[in-house]
Amino acid sequence: MLLAAIILVTPFLIRGSWDTVGKEPFLLDRLSKDFLLQGKQAQDTLSFSGRPWSYPLGTVLVAATLKKIASPFFVLLILPLLLGILTAGLFYASINHLHQNKKVAFIATILLVISPSFIYTFVFLKEFTIPLFLAMLAGHLLICRKHLAAYLFLALMAGFGIEHFIIALVMLFLARTPEQKTKATIATLLILILGMVLYFPLLFQYGLPELFSFEQRNPLFNIFSDFGSRFGISIFLIFLAFFGLKEFWKEKYTHSRMYTALAILMLLTIIKASFIIYATFLLALLSALGMLYLFNARWESRTIKDLTIFILILGLLFSAISFLNNYENAQPSPELVESLQSLSQVSSPEEVILSHYSYGIWINSIASRKNVMDEKAFYAPQVNERFQDIEELFQSRNLERTQTLLKKYQIAYIYITPEMKQGRVWQSEEQGLLFVLKFSQDEFTRIYHQNGIEIWKVRT
Amino acid sequence: MKINPAFGLAAILILTLSFRLYLAFSSPYFDSDLAYFNARIIENIIETNKPFSFDPLSYGSRELIHPQLFHYLMSFFSSIPEFMKVLPELFILPLTIIAYFIAKKITRDPLASLITALLVSFSPALLFNTSNQVSVYTLAIPLFYLMLFCLMDIKAGKNLYIFIAASFLLPLIHPISFLFACSILFYLILSGSESLEVESNTKEAVLFSFFLILLINFILFKKAFLLYGLSIIQQNIPPQLLAQHFLPPNIFNSLYLIGLIPLILGSIGVFQGVFKQKDKNIILLTSTLLTIMLLLLLKFIDLSTGLLFFSISLTLIASVAISRIIKYLEITRIHRIKNLMIALGIFLIIAIIIIPAFFSTSKIITPFEISTLQSLARDAAPGATILAPVSQGHLVAYFTQRKNVADSNFILAPSPEQRLQDIKIAYTTISASKALEIFHKYNIQYLFVSKEAQRVYGVSRPSYLDDETCFKQRKSTVYEVKC
């Protein structure tokens, strides 16, 4: 737990500031603020310039409630830190209870705590922070045979988003024992009903969400932090887990629940990469067993044995350090925040801002202005059409077409960052919209130009 | 006549070294653009003693990720006269010895092993990629095959410790270490599928080496991995050049680079070794072949590198067939003229391999063009940028000490796709204003219209250069942009 605390505080020490970074904390902060002021709304007026409110209610509700009694600093920073420490503690206790082996529990907890997905989840409030803690708590209660309390927490998980609702059902399915069969079935039904109550209205009202076809990345990108994933795991954890699985397989089908859980989680991870955060718990346990297997196995060469284990440990540490190091230059930078605050001052609340969709959440949260598009595309209106239109807008040198598209989305300002000019959108200085902006001074005025960030006003 | 193996090997070594040194000193320049990139790294290390992590000339100036152990080693011996010409030729020499011992391990036939060592030493692909070049491969290839040799008998002598040391060094020399890691992993799979029991020592060494190579590469290429993810394998090569790098092998060109004799004998060797003898050592070499084929198919390795390692591994396996041919000769009447046959065989090898190898080296630039570039180094302003084809980017930076617009090192390069497109437009457009737009965009002061540019872009000289108010001919192949 101490290690968890140290690891989770490290990003702040690296940055030398307590300022919020990332996108989810900003989104949750804005949503919880709105929730406190107006309660749950049917529409979010800022994202996609107006879209159905389809965010995880649970986290917003908890954040809003806590904000009544505590500061946003506590909610966004301290709460995740505390939950992270408690999760690590519960994980240790659960493994120790299951395996009756302190060494396995200790190594597994260390592997969990240094995994990038754990660090990602518990540094700042994220969508996964609270449900992950609840899942761990429910898991621990199930292991301790306190089923009723466990069912209650699993039911609570359903309110935090569809992914967590699925995980709650998977956990219930895996925890079924002959003596608990009836109670587990009732709990499953209750959670299913709760899920339906929460998610079916959205389905009935808006139909199935649009599948977005843009930015389809190789799943490996999102699973492994070493390949640039925001929440992935270390590739070395997988190798160790392989040895752990080999160790488990010695007892063949005794651990069939473990195999089932792993298979389900892997399948879910392929469908949605963020499930890897849940899979990390299982992989940490397997990796701990794998590490002990490597320690205890009879090696022909002692030198090779020591070196191999040392390299694997180094690999895990490298992934953790490399991930923590990313916080040093994590966005939004003070310059970005300053420019968005300026944007807020010069524009009115009804006006729409065009930028790359990766800046959408910050435009909503820091500038409190409408964006054309952001990363939360679930149930967003005409996602693919918008994406294609924005792409055309960014790449077209035709003023007429540019104006038509600007009008279509009622865009009043264009927000451009150095990253957008350096490959995220454009490759050269006079490409597409940059050319139009430069040579159509009558139609566009640059009202902000600092630290490479530009804000252009569209003249109507 | 009984050939003394040590004498034979020494003769091959002398022949190889003489031949390679002859090629190296037949021109005062190097035969590849990349050689000049390596030369710049080495010179920078000699000057600063620090790794070359920021290149002020490439792409205008850019961050650089490149393993530099080879360059440090070269700089360490920089007091040797002509060290950039001599050292790579000395580095590659142990490959002949390693090839001999690998072949001997497989065949236990000294004569077949000597012939194999000769074939490997004069492999057209090897000469094409390494002769008269400051090439990292000259160190990486011998180390790669030394590791395979150690793995064949990991228990013997100091093989384990050599293997450990080489596993650490190879990734610090070249990312080709990935090929080694994949090959040895594939070996375990292949052995398993053939129900061959691999010794515990070997398994342990494979595991160790795989993890170490992975870790060092992750550390070295951390930034690139985070930026490109798995696509790093394709080295951020722009789409315009992807086809050129990962082209499906042209059958005739591949045959020429691999060599007809190694291809035929190597295929027989694979059949004999894997399917009949089930020899672990041949399976180890075959797994290298299969890994290369798989990586080429998935476009994870460029064609030139793939063929280079493919040809060496195949030639090593060819030793099985060579040995069988020699044994067959011994039981036939031809046995009486065995020595004549061997002499004839060696003559054939010289005729088929060595002579074509002599002509396989390429000249990427003429001495006249180099003297033109050298004059630019004296005359051009220090911060000037020179436009040249991407295949001569390093060369221009080396000889002029001025910035280029693009070169063949694409990892972390700024907008390589756009730059390549712009370079093509600059050479092929008929519009002076379009060309000037590009020249201003990259702050280009000089245009280098080399033979290579003429070949790549199919124009002898852009027509807008006739406009003498904006373009002044400085030398026959260099134009100054005045507007």
Side-chain angles (χ1 to χ4, degrees), chain A residues 213-214 373 382-394 401 405 409:
Chain A
S213 54
F214 59 93
M373 191 175 173
Q382 299 96 37
V383 189
N384 293 312
E385 188 187 324
R386 274 173 190 261
F387 179 75
Q388 278 159 13
D389 283 345
I390 293 173
E391 272 297 291
E392 193 184 345
L393 228 168
F394 281 148
R401 183 66 188 145
L405 288 168
Y409 294 105

Side-chain angles (χ1 to χ4, degrees), chain B residues 21 24-25 27-30 82-89 132:
Chain B
L21 284 176
F25 285 100
S27 156
Y29 309 112
F30 297 116
E82 295 285 350
F83 73 102
M84 286 211 214
K85 288 270 183 188
V86 176
L87 282 183
E89 310 306 341
N132 190 26

Side-chain angles (χ1 to χ4, degrees), chain A residues 417-428 434 452, chain B residues 413-415:
Chain A
T417 65
E419 288 79 17
M420 286 169 72
K421 282 181 166 182
Q422 288 159 9
R424 193 171 289 184
V425 177
W426 300 287
Q427 304 280 342
S428 62
L434 293 180
Chain B
S415 325

Side-chain angles (χ1 to χ4, degrees), chain B residues 102-145:
Chain B
I102 290 179
K104 197 165 173 225
K105 182 122 204 100
I106 297 170
T107 60
R108 291 181 191 86
D109 181 342
L111 183 59
S113 308
L114 284 175
I115 294 172
T116 308
L118 184 71
L119 284 172
V120 167
S121 306
F122 289 93
S123 155
L126 183 72
L127 286 170
F128 184 78
N129 281 288
T130 60
S131 83
N132 190 26
Q133 294 174 36
V134 189
S135 169
V136 184
Y137 286 133
T138 54
L139 194 60
I141 295 172
L143 207 59
F144 185 100
Y145 287 96

Side-chain angles (χ1 to χ4, degrees), chain B residues 451-476:
Chain B
K451 280 214 164 68
E452 173 75 357
Q454 291 169 352
R455 186 189 65 81
V456 172
Y457 301 111
V459 284
S460 58
R461 178 177 170 275
S463 57
Y464 58 79
L465 294 174
D466 294 336
D467 177 3
E468 288 184 1
T469 50
C470 276
F471 304 99
K472 185 185 168 191
Q473 188 166 13
R474 292 287 298 254
K475 299 271 173 185
S476 62

